[in-house]
Amino acid sequence: MRMRINRKIVPEMNDRPLTAQRRLILDILREAKCHLDAKELYQRAIQKDQHISLATVYRNLRLFEEVGLVDERRLDEVHCYYELKRSTEHYHLVCRICGRVIEFESPMVRKLVDEVQRNSDFYVSKAVLYLEGYCRNCKGKKQVS
Amino acid sequence: MRMRINRKIVPEMNDRPLTAQRRLILDILREAKCHLDAKELYQRAIQKDQHISLATVYRNLRLFEEVGLVDERRLDEVHCYYELKRSTEHYHLVCRICGRVIEFESPMVRKLVDEVQRNSDFYVSKAVLYLEGYCRNCKGKKQVS
DNA sequence: ATAGGTGCAAATGGTTTGCGAAAAC
DNA sequence: GTTTTCGCAAACCATTTGCACCTAT
């Protein structure tokens, strides 16, 4: 009952074949403008392939992350969100009230990393950065606690 | 069988009492030079109070975080680490091989946040930042994959 | 008496894994 | 035939929660 589509060995994927499931997951990530968590990705996938399993989604997301095709981000302390890696690094700004996510990039991040590398004798391979706050619309609603 | 110690209402804690368990947890965090995860904190706590429960540890860590006494950091994608909040913000640099953690601070972070606030019309209340890489000793051991 | 904290055990929920079947070569 | 992937269900594990009891006021 599994999907049968010719697989091609893909060098970008550590010489692992591009199976139908993998192609489907990548397609969904490509279509999605935003980051998806594994469950939502699975929900969308199952509409095209009724037999794909959540385990396959997780396994392949992990693979994609390892080979550098996909970025995994933790935007809300609970689950991870996945998105296709792009040419320019970007980071996220999340509103604590409405959940709105804004992407931003800044050369400052590179500068910061360089500075830290110089001062610490570390080679920095990954910078995890996200900002939390209140967006334009929700600034006023900040709970007084 | 519970620990009985006079509780005092502590304004710093949202007018919640400083129970024996809370005092114990704070003491352990104070003694510990480094960040602890909940389980390790619990292991240390149980040596002083054989009946304290892991749930209490979690509940109070959450409370401490809410009132701003403690910082919660996710340093390894799996669990959270807790440490007493200090006067100056600092961030962490974690070695992917040996797990060594180096703390650093940089005015660059504040600059970055200011820049993002200006450009996005967001009020930024929290910056989550950590860097991953290879420390002096492990630089050479980077797996060739 | 009331309100809130605690201990215990069970539940939660995102993610991982063991295993047998299926695919590709 | 061998190797890898997949689907399914079960396991995992950090964290949370329901509930009865206890403590301080």
Side-chain angles (χ1 to χ4, degrees):
Chain A
M1 218 59 89
R2 209 170 299 177
M3 275 182 106
R4 314 161 193 232
I5 296 191
N6 291 342
R7 316 190 299 177
K8 294 171 194 159
I9 299 300
V10 183
E12 297 79 25
M13 212 181 287
N14 246 12
D15 291 329
R16 316 277 282 280
L18 180 60
T19 63
Q21 290 86 345
R22 288 178 184 158
R23 188 199 307 261
L24 176 55
I25 294 170
L26 287 174
D27 282 346
I28 291 171
L29 285 171
R30 207 169 290 126
E31 279 177 39
K33 297 298 178 210
C34 58
H35 17 254
L36 304 173
D37 65 8
K39 211 152 139 197
E40 186 153 343
L41 189 41
Y42 169 68
Q43 297 297 350
R44 298 193 189 188
I46 215 170
Q47 294 176 12
K48 291 274 181 68
D49 169 5
Q50 308 214 340
H51 296 282
I52 196 171
S53 77
L54 187 54
T56 296
V57 171
Y58 273 110
R59 270 192 285 244
N60 288 322
L61 284 173
R62 168 109 72 89
L63 169 66
F64 298 154
E65 216 252 338
E66 280 168 10
V67 302
L69 282 177
V70 158
D71 270 333
E72 181 192 73
R73 316 266 192 165
R74 193 180 294 272
L75 295 185
D76 66 356
E77 310 291 325
V78 185
H79 22 358
C80 295
Y81 292 82
Y82 300 87
E83 58 184 359
L84 285 186
K85 186 163 276 185
R86 309 183 215 158
S87 49
T88 61
E89 281 306 321
H90 68 280
Y91 303 93
H92 298 90
L93 187 48
V94 183
C95 176
R96 297 178 91 147
I97 304 278
C98 69
R100 191 146 79 103
V101 174
I102 290 191
E103 302 180 347
F104 67 91
E105 34 188 290
S106 164
M108 209 80 93
V109 180
R110 187 67 237 166
K111 274 190 209 165
L112 170 69
V113 168
D114 286 343
E115 184 192 69
V116 172
Q117 285 188 135
R118 271 198 309 278
N119 294 341
S120 65
D121 199 12
F122 246 74
Y123 168 73
V124 175
S125 57
K126 185 178 171 189
V128 174
L129 167 67
Y130 86 95
L131 305 180
E132 251 182 54
Y134 301 89
C135 76
R136 179 175 43 240
N137 301 329
C138 297
K139 265 180 189 170
K141 301 178 203 152
K142 230 188 309 178
Q143 73 280 18
V144 196
S145 133
Chain B
M1 216 61 85
R2 209 170 297 179
M3 276 180 104
R4 310 159 194 233
I5 295 192
N6 290 342
R7 318 189 298 180
K8 296 171 193 158
I9 299 301
V10 183
E12 297 80 25
M13 212 181 290
N14 245 12
D15 291 328
R16 317 278 282 280
L18 180 59
T19 63
Q21 291 87 341
R22 288 178 183 158
R23 187 201 306 261
L24 176 55
I25 294 171
L26 287 174
D27 282 346
I28 292 171
L29 284 171
R30 208 170 289 126
E31 280 177 37
K33 297 298 176 208
C34 56
H35 17 254
L36 304 173
D37 63 7
K39 213 152 136 196
E40 186 152 344
L41 189 41
Y42 169 66
Q43 296 298 349
R44 298 192 189 192
I46 215 171
Q47 293 174 13
K48 292 272 181 65
D49 171 4
Q50 308 215 340
H51 295 283
I52 196 172
S53 77
L54 186 54
T56 296
V57 171
Y58 273 110
R59 271 191 285 241
N60 287 322
L61 284 173
R62 168 110 72 90
L63 169 66
F64 297 155
E65 216 253 335
E66 281 168 11
V67 301
L69 283 178
V70 158
D71 270 334
E72 179 192 73
R73 316 267 192 163
R74 194 180 294 272
L75 295 186
D76 67 355
E77 311 290 326
V78 184
H79 21 358
C80 295
Y81 291 82
Y82 300 86
E83 57 184 1
L84 286 185
K85 185 162 277 183
R86 307 184 216 156
S87 51
T88 60
E89 281 304 322
H90 67 281
Y91 303 93
H92 298 90
L93 187 47
V94 183
C95 177
R96 298 179 89 147
I97 304 279
C98 68
R100 191 146 79 103
V101 175
I102 290 190
E103 302 180 347
F104 68 91
E105 35 187 289
S106 164
M108 209 80 93
V109 180
R110 188 66 239 165
K111 275 190 209 166
L112 171 68
V113 169
D114 286 343
E115 184 192 69
V116 171
Q117 284 188 135
R118 273 197 310 276
N119 294 341
S120 66
D121 198 13
F122 246 73
Y123 169 73
V124 175
S125 58
K126 185 178 172 192
V128 173
L129 167 65
Y130 86 95
L131 305 180
E132 250 180 53
Y134 301 89
C135 76
R136 182 175 41 241
N137 302 329
C138 298
K139 266 180 187 170
K141 301 178 202 152
K142 232 188 306 177
Q143 73 280 17
V144 196
S145 133

